[in-house]
Amino acid sequence: MVTRVYHHPDFAGHVTPPGHPEQVARLAAVEHGLSDLPVERHEAPIAADDEVLRCHPAAYLAKVRRAIPTEGWVALDGDTILSPGSLAAALRAVGGIAAAVDAVMAGQAQNAFVAGRPPGHHAETATAMGFCLFGTVAIAAKRLLDHHGLSRVAIVDFDVHHGNGTQDLLWDEPRILFASTHQMPLYPGTGRADERGAHGNILNHPLRAGTGSAAMRAAYDGHILPALEAFAPEFLLISAGFDAHSADPLASLEWQAEDYAWLTRRLCDLADRHANGRIVSTLEGGYDLAALQASVAAHVGVLEERGR
Ligand SMILES: [Zn+2]
């Protein structure tokens, strides 16, 4: 089989002000990282409203739609910016992961990566936050349960920031295991180990500033992977943020591109054992452009190698 990559020109239509780290130029870095890989490319479709409503109330979607400016920018909070193209981009991020999930479930691809923006894992039920509008990975997990009829889906979030939004959206969902490593203390401030979800379905493993390759690998081998193994997911989703890289300007972990390859191999092994190798990964953070390019190449390179 093959690895699919979902992208679309509309992802560049979400424009942030000069100096904002979540910038259009990230897309070119990602595309450069993917350029040598024999992946199958597809355009990310616009999600129907109902897809967003799997996790967000209609009033929230309407509020975002109303807030979109006809020109310039509107700030929903200090970090989260809307430009005229932001809604189309965010709806294609949701639509792209839905299409990726459908293709992998249909056996048209072994795995897939959604090269979209804005990211999603900070968006809470009715609150945009931290560059994020809609909880794309949580929505995809709900789609796997409610549309595809699966009973156990796991999400691994290796972005350096805690996925507070994913945690909020899935707090009371025992059929989804949400596992996250993240720097602490750091934005957004959540993600303590004692935040476990209503059914013990959330696993937070905070890491101290300076955590490098050896300690990161020990955290996954010692804590995250055994929990995933016990849960035996039928499908694995990845919130793939690359801002734990040592070069990232927003955080202070010391991961290298090779660590993303190592972790992706471990996750492919797990998916092979429990989920017929089914993995869909979606872009979250990663703000140093050279590190982003190298890390995406490492991550998707392993997906492609293992998807053959
Ligand atoms: Zn992040």
Side-chain angles (χ1 to χ4, degrees), residues 121-122 159-161 243 285 287:
H121 73 152
H122 294 308
D159 189 281
V160 79
H161 303 97
D243 40 11
Y287 304 102

PDB file of all heavy atoms in Angstrom, residues 121-122 159-161 243 285 287, ligand 1:
ATOM      1  N   HIS A 121      -4.895  21.201  18.311  1.00  0.00           N
ATOM      2  CA  HIS A 121      -5.007  20.514  19.607  1.00  0.00           C
ATOM      3  C   HIS A 121      -5.234  21.408  20.821  1.00  0.00           C
ATOM      4  O   HIS A 121      -5.488  20.897  21.911  1.00  0.00           O
ATOM      5  CB  HIS A 121      -3.813  19.567  19.828  1.00  0.00           C
ATOM      6  CG  HIS A 121      -2.516  20.244  20.131  1.00  0.00           C
ATOM      7  ND1 HIS A 121      -1.529  19.650  20.877  1.00  0.00           N
ATOM      8  CD2 HIS A 121      -2.027  21.469  19.767  1.00  0.00           C
ATOM      9  CE1 HIS A 121      -0.495  20.470  20.978  1.00  0.00           C
ATOM     10  NE2 HIS A 121      -0.767  21.558  20.311  1.00  0.00           N
ATOM     11  N   HIS A 122      -5.176  22.738  20.638  1.00  0.00           N
ATOM     12  CA  HIS A 122      -5.522  23.634  21.762  1.00  0.00           C
ATOM     13  C   HIS A 122      -6.982  24.087  21.751  1.00  0.00           C
ATOM     14  O   HIS A 122      -7.434  24.709  22.718  1.00  0.00           O
ATOM     15  CB  HIS A 122      -4.634  24.887  21.746  1.00  0.00           C
ATOM     16  CG  HIS A 122      -3.191  24.617  22.016  1.00  0.00           C
ATOM     17  ND1 HIS A 122      -2.751  23.906  23.113  1.00  0.00           N
ATOM     18  CD2 HIS A 122      -2.061  24.959  21.320  1.00  0.00           C
ATOM     19  CE1 HIS A 122      -1.427  23.823  23.085  1.00  0.00           C
ATOM     20  NE2 HIS A 122      -0.980  24.451  22.010  1.00  0.00           N
ATOM     21  N   ASP A 159       3.517  16.910  20.319  1.00  0.00           N
ATOM     22  CA  ASP A 159       3.787  18.352  20.298  1.00  0.00           C
ATOM     23  C   ASP A 159       4.347  18.760  21.672  1.00  0.00           C
ATOM     24  O   ASP A 159       3.970  18.180  22.691  1.00  0.00           O
ATOM     25  CB  ASP A 159       2.475  19.097  20.015  1.00  0.00           C
ATOM     26  CG  ASP A 159       2.671  20.580  19.757  1.00  0.00           C
ATOM     27  OD1 ASP A 159       2.836  21.340  20.740  1.00  0.00           O
ATOM     28  OD2 ASP A 159       2.660  20.979  18.580  1.00  0.00           O
ATOM     29  N   VAL A 160       5.195  19.760  21.698  1.00  0.00           N
ATOM     30  CA  VAL A 160       5.835  20.150  22.960  1.00  0.00           C
ATOM     31  C   VAL A 160       4.838  20.789  23.940  1.00  0.00           C
ATOM     32  O   VAL A 160       5.089  20.843  25.146  1.00  0.00           O
ATOM     33  CB  VAL A 160       7.033  21.101  22.705  1.00  0.00           C
ATOM     34  CG1 VAL A 160       6.560  22.538  22.431  1.00  0.00           C
ATOM     35  CG2 VAL A 160       8.022  21.069  23.856  1.00  0.00           C
ATOM     36  N   HIS A 161       3.714  21.279  23.393  1.00  0.00           N
ATOM     37  CA  HIS A 161       2.679  21.866  24.248  1.00  0.00           C
ATOM     38  C   HIS A 161       1.603  20.822  24.542  1.00  0.00           C
ATOM     39  O   HIS A 161       1.280  20.000  23.677  1.00  0.00           O
ATOM     40  CB  HIS A 161       2.035  23.075  23.548  1.00  0.00           C
ATOM     41  CG  HIS A 161       3.027  24.136  23.160  1.00  0.00           C
ATOM     42  ND1 HIS A 161       3.565  24.227  21.895  1.00  0.00           N
ATOM     43  CD2 HIS A 161       3.591  25.127  23.906  1.00  0.00           C
ATOM     44  CE1 HIS A 161       4.423  25.247  21.861  1.00  0.00           C
ATOM     45  NE2 HIS A 161       4.465  25.805  23.059  1.00  0.00           N
ATOM     46  N   ASP A 243       7.680  20.920  17.677  1.00  0.00           N
ATOM     47  CA  ASP A 243       8.274  22.012  18.450  1.00  0.00           C
ATOM     48  C   ASP A 243       9.019  21.542  19.701  1.00  0.00           C
ATOM     49  O   ASP A 243       9.508  22.371  20.470  1.00  0.00           O
ATOM     50  CB  ASP A 243       7.226  23.084  18.792  1.00  0.00           C
ATOM     51  CG  ASP A 243       5.877  22.503  19.165  1.00  0.00           C
ATOM     52  OD1 ASP A 243       5.783  21.273  19.373  1.00  0.00           O
ATOM     53  OD2 ASP A 243       4.904  23.275  19.250  1.00  0.00           O
ATOM     54  N   GLY A 285       2.255  21.800  15.868  1.00  0.00           N
ATOM     55  CA  GLY A 285       3.234  22.884  15.910  1.00  0.00           C
ATOM     56  C   GLY A 285       4.544  22.522  15.226  1.00  0.00           C
ATOM     57  O   GLY A 285       4.672  21.508  14.539  1.00  0.00           O
ATOM     58  N   TYR A 287       8.073  25.379  14.814  1.00  0.00           N
ATOM     59  CA  TYR A 287       8.195  26.782  14.422  1.00  0.00           C
ATOM     60  C   TYR A 287       9.576  27.192  13.947  1.00  0.00           C
ATOM     61  O   TYR A 287       9.749  28.299  13.451  1.00  0.00           O
ATOM     62  CB  TYR A 287       7.689  27.665  15.577  1.00  0.00           C
ATOM     63  CG  TYR A 287       6.265  27.272  15.926  1.00  0.00           C
ATOM     64  CD1 TYR A 287       5.979  26.476  17.034  1.00  0.00           C
ATOM     65  CD2 TYR A 287       5.224  27.611  15.071  1.00  0.00           C
ATOM     66  CE1 TYR A 287       4.680  26.060  17.304  1.00  0.00           C
ATOM     67  CE2 TYR A 287       3.923  27.191  15.332  1.00  0.00           C
ATOM     68  CZ  TYR A 287       3.669  26.423  16.452  1.00  0.00           C
ATOM     69  OH  TYR A 287       2.379  25.997  16.696  1.00  0.00           O
TER      70      TYR A 287
HETATM   71 ZN    ZN B   1       3.069  23.194  20.103  1.00  0.00          ZN
END
